[in-house]
Amino acid sequence: MRDESQLMATTLNTTTSPTNSTSNNNVEGLKLTEAVVKTFRNARVFHENTDRINALDFSANGETLITSSDDDSIVIYDCQAGSAKKTLNSKKYGVDLIRFTHAPNTVIHSSTKIDDTIRFLSLHDNKYIRYFPGHVRKVITLSMSPVDDIFLSGSLDNTIRLWDLKSANCAGLMHLNGRPVANFDPEGLIFGAGITSEMIKLYDLRSFDKGPFSTFQLPKEKDCEWTSLKFSADGKTIMLTTNGNIIRLIDAFTGQLKHTLSGFTNTKNMPIEASFSPDAQFVFCGASDGRIHCWNAETGNRVCTLVSDSMSGQTIVSMNPKFMLLVSASNQLIFWLPHLDDL
């Protein structure tokens, strides 16, 4: 594998203007296009974990990545240096669904042992700041507001709870008639809840207790369940990922099905977590054969299939919010970067 140490230090800002340079060491300002996406290659593979990485999240400034794993560890990565910085352990409670708060040194995560409490952790000294008890079954969705200290959680106890980091008391409780997936819109004004893999409800955060302001009824999934719900950065599209081999893209204003993305393998029916690119142009998704698939989010057309050096299933794929860095995870973590010599 080629040495990417210099390239890691100059990861690319997707919001800046294009450059004419095609040197791998002088790539500031490169714009994300289909041609660039097709050049992504494995830049670095990390072997910090002994079991499946179950969640990952980037800091808002894109400089730090954090992962949680079924081996009860939390690993912090420096995205610019391309290195693993620190490993913390949560052997007592386990760790899943790890999410950065708006402070770069604190996170929230769900528990996999003892109970289903959500925990607020200081990364600086590996001490818990606060516990958020309430759910009585496994937490399966956890999302921070993009604008403040509000976060939401959803559980197999068929509830969604709203919280404020400053208080251990639940700020809002919704009883649902099935398994939920949920997330905030990019402005943090509304949140969407997917229920029983057939219905999306949109709520105004300021008046959610009055019920949804929009409800979208979709055909019930027959062979899979929804496992996550995400809004695109422009707020126009809702993505529903599943534990099957399809992804649904839904118009966030009308509820109409825009595209069904398929053609990737998921032989063990794992919850495949896909993501939008930060500019909402593309959708990236992993597969059980180790490949990464990319589609144009507007047209639904496949852009490319990227082949990794790892044959293990890539169940999570996410793109850095500020830099031209794609990350995929299984038991290993892979950093993907564009190889500009291919342009």
Side-chain angles (χ1 to χ4, degrees), residues 302-323:
R302 183 183 296 274
V303 173
C304 63
T305 301
L306 306 173
V307 180
S308 72
D309 295 331
S310 171
M311 291 306 293
S312 59
Q314 304 299 300
T315 55
I316 306 173
V317 180
S318 187
M319 193 162 195
N320 190 295
K322 298 295 184 182
F323 303 104

Side-chain angles (χ1 to χ4, degrees), residues 189-191 201-205 207 210-215 252:
L189 298 176
I190 68 172
F191 64 91
K201 295 186 177 186
L202 301 181
Y203 296 85
D204 187 318
L205 189 61
S207 56
K210 297 179 181 178
F213 64 84
S214 287
T215 298

Side-chain angles (χ1 to χ4, degrees), residues 46-342:
F46 298 92
H47 302 273
E48 309 299 313
N49 297 102
T50 59
D51 207 335
R52 181 182 70 98
I53 295 170
N54 52 41
L56 59 83
D57 195 30
F58 290 99
S59 60
N61 62 11
E63 295 177 1
T64 306
L65 172 72
I66 195 163
T67 65
S68 56
S69 169
D70 290 348
D71 64 13
D72 304 329
S73 71
I74 296 168
V75 185
I76 304 167
Y77 297 87
D78 184 321
C79 292
Q80 292 179 301
S83 61
K85 292 198 304 184
K86 188 176 184 180
T87 298
L88 306 173
N89 289 307
S90 180
K91 297 296 183 184
K92 182 176 181 180
Y93 301 116
V95 57
D96 198 353
L97 298 176
I98 198 157
R99 304 287 184 256
F100 274 109
T101 68
H102 295 287
N105 62 343
T106 61
V107 294
I108 54 173
H109 69 78
S110 63
S111 308
T112 61
K113 299 177 180 179
I114 297 182
D115 58 24
D116 299 291
T117 295
I118 298 163
R119 304 179 195 278
F120 184 18
L121 175 67
S122 166
L123 300 175
H124 171 69
D125 52 10
N126 195 25
K127 292 183 178 179
Y128 288 106
I129 301 168
R130 188 164 290 115
Y131 297 158
F132 303 93
H135 287 299
V136 294
R137 294 189 65 190
K138 181 181 179 179
V139 175
I140 56 173
T141 188
L142 187 63
S143 303
M144 278 297 307
S145 164
V147 296
D148 56 27
D149 287 339
I150 302 296
F151 68 95
L152 63 79
S153 59
S155 164
L156 291 178
D157 61 16
N158 294 347
T159 66
I160 289 175
R161 290 176 179 263
L162 287 168
W163 311 84
D164 189 311
L165 285 176
K166 295 183 288 294
S167 172
N169 298 319
C170 178
L173 173 62
M174 300 168 54
H175 292 277
L176 308 169
N177 60 356
R179 170 194 178 109
V181 290
N183 217 323
F184 292 96
D185 82 317
E187 296 180 343
L189 298 176
I190 68 172
F191 64 91
I195 305 166
T196 62
S197 301
E198 63 176 337
M199 185 182 301
I200 299 174
K201 295 186 177 186
L202 301 181
Y203 296 85
D204 187 318
L205 189 61
R206 297 158 296 186
S207 56
F208 68 90
D209 54 327
K210 297 179 181 178
F213 64 84
S214 287
T215 298
F216 306 141
Q217 183 70 48
L218 300 168
K220 186 171 178 60
E221 303 292 354
K222 295 180 180 179
D223 301 316
C224 59
E225 291 182 308
W226 296 347
T227 54
S228 73
L229 181 153
K230 296 181 180 179
F231 286 84
S232 57
D234 59 10
K236 295 179 180 179
T237 306
I238 295 171
M239 175 167 57
L240 297 163
T241 60
T242 71
N243 57 4
N245 54 5
I246 57 170
I247 297 168
R248 308 285 191 195
L249 297 184
I250 309 296
D251 188 300
F253 300 103
T254 67
Q256 294 298 308
L257 176 65
K258 296 174 66 173
H259 303 293
T260 296
L261 309 179
S262 60
F264 57 93
T265 59
N266 186 8
T267 55
K268 295 183 179 180
N269 296 113
M270 296 292 290
I272 299 290
E273 184 175 339
S275 68
F276 289 104
S277 59
D279 58 8
Q281 277 195 94
F282 303 107
V283 172
F284 294 95
C285 170
S288 57
D289 60 6
R291 291 180 169 86
I292 305 299
H293 299 261
C294 177
W295 296 267
N296 183 299
E298 183 60 34
T299 65
N301 295 331
R302 183 183 296 274
V303 173
C304 63
T305 301
L306 306 173
V307 180
S308 72
D309 295 331
S310 171
M311 291 306 293
S312 59
Q314 304 299 300
T315 55
I316 306 173
V317 180
S318 187
M319 193 162 195
N320 190 295
K322 298 295 184 182
F323 303 104
M324 196 80 79
L325 169 66
L326 188 69
V327 172
S328 66
S330 55
N331 287 24
Q332 306 165 342
L333 186 78
I334 302 177
F335 278 16
W336 301 71
L337 291 172
H339 191 249
L340 301 186
D341 291 343
D342 293 349

